[in-house]
Amino acid sequence: MNDILKTQFRKIIDITDDEFDYILSHFSYKKFKKHQFLVQDGQNVDFDYFVLSGCVKSYYSDENGKIHILLFGVQDWWITDYEAYYYQKKAIVNIDCLEDTEVLCLSNDNREKLCSEFHQIESFFRKKTNRRNVALQNRILSLLSSSAKERYEKFLQEYPMLVQKLPKHILASYLGVTRETLSRLYATK
Amino acid sequence: MNDILKTQFRKIIDITDDEFDYILSHFSYKKFKKHQFLVQDGQNVDFDYFVLSGCVKSYYSDENGKIHILLFGVQDWWITDYEAYYYQKKAIVNIDCLEDTEVLCLSNDNREKLCSEFHQIESFFRKKTNRRNVALQNRILSLLSSSAKERYEKFLQEYPMLVQKLPKHILASYLGVTRETLSRLYATK
DNA sequence: AATAAAGTGTGATGTACGTCAATTTATTTT
DNA sequence: AAAATAAATTGACGTACATCACACTTTATT
């Protein structure tokens, strides 16, 4: 199971098995049940989570109680409230499980410790964050320039497996439309 | 003028003047006139740009020729088409000058060279990218959960100096509305 | 200074998408 | 298997914002 993480590291940097084991010793393993929270609005955020199995969603609850999905986390993805995690603030998002989920948890202190001990690890996180950046930018682009329908079709193309497993109203919220609108989108198609 | 960059580095990491001079030797200085392009759609992206003075905009032109502003770059900001820059792709955005602009240019090769030579520099870029990440995420949140008016008011609050100098139709495009709508927003207020 | 070009504001009208409400269909829970 | 809960669909209607058209003003260009 931990091979998932090792494999991800090795896509970006070279590390020996021993080095990986040392790195891994800085993570803790946790198992969550569907509906449990990894991160809760208003609380401290102790960890960045690397998803081993299952599926979580990160969402923001606005003043009207409306929910806006920021991200999903599935196998091989990292997820947390980064602003709260990096800068020791209170979380503004919630992250909870759409199904039973296993994760590896990395505290910010351990992250910094690893980064300062291993130049390679720092390089790994830098490059990972670079990628996330590009993905976020593209999401902004698509929110600015595409209609709900276009965004839906793009998502369908990019993450067909996710569309399968996600409740539609959750997907709708990620796309930035209501569930009613999403329902009408694929009715029309 | 180069102190702007030095100061930015020293907000995040410790470096000596000599180290900084060595780092700086990996940048090239360029001056652009209003309306000149730093990055053009379809072309290679050779540099990440650190803005010393002036103002640039990064935008995407959609199939209908409509323009969507991704980011502005003013003093102390880094800007480029990161997907193209990091991964040697063709640019999908344009970056041009809203006024005469001076920049320091860093090639991806030099960036990687510096990162591998100085652990500290790698740390600098990692932490910078972390911040950008948080900013991008918040923009997504605001596009998902706020009305045009709320976004306008937030921008006004956050970047009052930018609102001054930006043409309104450009600001409108950043906010994700038409210039007509923006015009009506502050008429109503 | 004259002419062109770019930027801004305002009205009339259109449309994508939201809201509310009722019904149907799945999925959990006991 | 029954009861409870959550998810998805459909219709009627509302609204935030877009589009188009035109007038006006400010900023470039010769």
Side-chain angles (χ1 to χ4, degrees), chain A residues 3 5 14-15 19 48 53 58 62 74 77-78 85 90 97 103 134 141 149-150 155 165 171-172:
Chain A
D3 282 3
L5 182 58
D14 284 323
I15 41 169
E19 282 167 341
D48 190 5
S53 71
S58 154
D62 69 21
V74 288
W77 285 68
W78 296 81
Y85 174 75
K90 300 297 178 184
C97 299
V103 295
V134 168
L141 211 56
K149 186 164 195 169
E150 288 166 329
F155 191 89
K165 81 159 99 184
L171 173 56

Side-chain angles (χ1 to χ4, degrees), chain A:
Chain A
M1 200 68 160
N2 294 328
D3 282 3
I4 300 170
L5 182 58
K6 196 193 284 187
T7 305
Q8 184 177 102
F9 272 111
R10 288 192 171 153
K11 270 187 197 145
I12 298 183
I13 57 170
D14 284 323
I15 41 169
T16 64
D17 284 354
D18 283 352
E19 282 167 341
F20 177 73
D21 289 340
Y22 177 74
I23 291 161
L24 188 60
S25 76
H26 291 76
F27 287 73
S28 54
Y29 169 88
K30 277 193 200 163
K31 217 172 170 159
F32 292 90
K33 292 241 165 263
K34 183 166 177 176
H35 295 130
Q36 278 194 295
F37 286 85
L38 312 205
V39 168
Q40 260 182 295
D41 183 17
Q43 320 229 131
N44 293 326
V45 174
D46 298 324
F47 302 107
D48 190 5
Y49 298 94
F50 177 77
V51 180
L52 294 169
S53 71
C55 183
V56 303
K57 65 175 193 285
S58 154
Y59 63 96
Y60 171 73
S61 258
D62 69 21
E63 331 73 68
N64 313 314
K66 246 183 91 178
I67 271 174
H68 306 277
I69 308 265
L70 277 166
L71 277 181
F72 299 109
V74 288
Q75 190 174 87
D76 220 34
W77 285 68
W78 296 81
I79 195 166
T80 194
D81 178 336
Y82 286 102
E83 185 160 15
Y85 174 75
Y86 291 137
Y87 310 117
Q88 290 77 244
K89 295 181 171 181
K90 300 297 178 184
I92 58 159
V93 308
N94 293 282
I95 302 180
D96 70 2
C97 299
L98 288 161
E99 27 182 277
D100 293 1
T101 296
E102 293 172 287
V103 295
L104 291 173
C105 315
L106 179 64
S107 71
N108 198 235
D109 286 350
N110 276 161
R111 184 200 206 85
E112 292 301 323
K113 174 169 179 279
L114 288 172
C115 280
S116 71
E117 286 174 359
F118 291 92
H119 195 153
Q120 289 272 73
I121 297 295
E122 180 126 46
S123 187
F124 171 82
F125 282 116
R126 174 173 65 90
K127 289 182 176 169
K128 257 292 155 199
T129 313
N130 284 170
R131 278 185 194 285
R132 203 200 318 276
N133 242 293
V134 168
L136 291 172
Q137 178 116 322
N138 285 335
R139 174 111 181 265
I140 290 174
L141 211 56
S142 108
L143 285 171
L144 284 176
S145 69
S146 309
S147 67
K149 186 164 195 169
E150 288 166 329
R151 273 175 280 151
Y152 168 65
E153 274 157 13
K154 196 171 159 202
F155 191 89
L156 202 62
Q157 213 176 343
E158 223 165 325
Y159 308 101
M161 54 311 182
L162 258 180
V163 176
Q164 303 280 312
K165 81 159 99 184
L166 292 174
K168 310 262 153 104
H169 70 282
I170 298 284
L171 173 56
S173 166
Y174 177 87
L175 294 171
V177 294
T178 58
R179 65 207 152 80
E180 292 93 333
T181 297
L182 178 61
S183 172
R184 285 171 183 125
L185 282 184
Y186 49 73
T188 316
K189 208 176 85 166

Side-chain angles (χ1 to χ4, degrees), chain B residues 6-184:
Chain B
K6 196 192 286 189
T7 305
Q8 185 177 101
F9 272 110
R10 288 192 170 153
K11 271 188 197 143
I12 298 183
I13 56 170
D14 284 324
I15 42 169
T16 64
D17 283 354
D18 283 351
E19 283 169 339
F20 177 73
D21 289 340
Y22 177 73
I23 291 162
L24 188 60
S25 76
H26 291 76
F27 287 74
S28 54
Y29 169 88
K30 279 192 197 163
K31 217 171 169 159
F32 292 90
K33 291 240 165 266
K34 185 168 176 172
H35 295 131
Q36 278 193 295
F37 286 85
L38 312 206
V39 168
Q40 261 182 294
D41 183 16
Q43 319 230 129
N44 293 327
V45 174
D46 297 324
F47 302 108
D48 190 6
Y49 298 94
F50 177 78
V51 179
L52 295 169
S53 71
C55 184
V56 303
K57 65 173 193 283
S58 154
Y59 64 95
Y60 172 73
S61 260
D62 70 21
E63 328 75 66
N64 313 315
K66 244 184 92 177
I67 272 174
H68 306 277
I69 309 267
L70 277 166
L71 277 181
F72 299 108
V74 289
Q75 190 174 86
D76 220 34
W77 285 67
W78 295 82
I79 195 166
T80 194
D81 177 335
Y82 287 101
E83 184 160 14
Y85 174 75
Y86 290 137
Y87 310 116
Q88 288 77 245
K89 296 183 172 181
K90 300 297 178 185
I92 58 160
V93 307
N94 294 281
I95 302 181
D96 71 1
C97 299
L98 289 161
E99 28 182 275
D100 293 1
T101 297
E102 293 172 287
V103 294
L104 292 173
C105 314
L106 178 64
S107 71
N108 198 237
D109 285 350
N110 274 162
R111 183 201 207 83
E112 292 301 323
K113 174 170 179 280
L114 287 172
C115 281
S116 70
E117 286 174 359
F118 292 92
H119 195 152
Q120 289 273 74
I121 297 296
E122 180 126 45
S123 187
F124 171 82
F125 282 115
R126 175 173 65 90
K127 288 181 178 171
K128 259 289 156 204
T129 313
N130 284 171
R131 278 185 194 286
R132 203 200 317 279
N133 241 290
V134 167
L136 290 172
Q137 178 117 324
N138 285 335
R139 176 111 181 266
I140 290 173
L141 211 55
S142 108
L143 285 171
L144 284 177
S145 69
S146 309
S147 67
K149 186 164 197 170
E150 289 166 329
R151 273 175 280 152
Y152 168 65
E153 275 157 14
K154 195 170 158 201
F155 191 89
L156 200 63
Q157 211 178 344
E158 222 164 329
Y159 308 103
M161 55 309 183
L162 257 180
V163 177
Q164 304 280 311
K165 79 160 101 185
L166 292 175
K168 310 263 152 103
H169 70 282
I170 299 283
L171 173 55
S173 166
Y174 176 88
L175 294 172
V177 295
T178 58
R179 67 203 158 80
E180 292 94 333
T181 297
L182 178 61
S183 171
R184 285 171 184 125

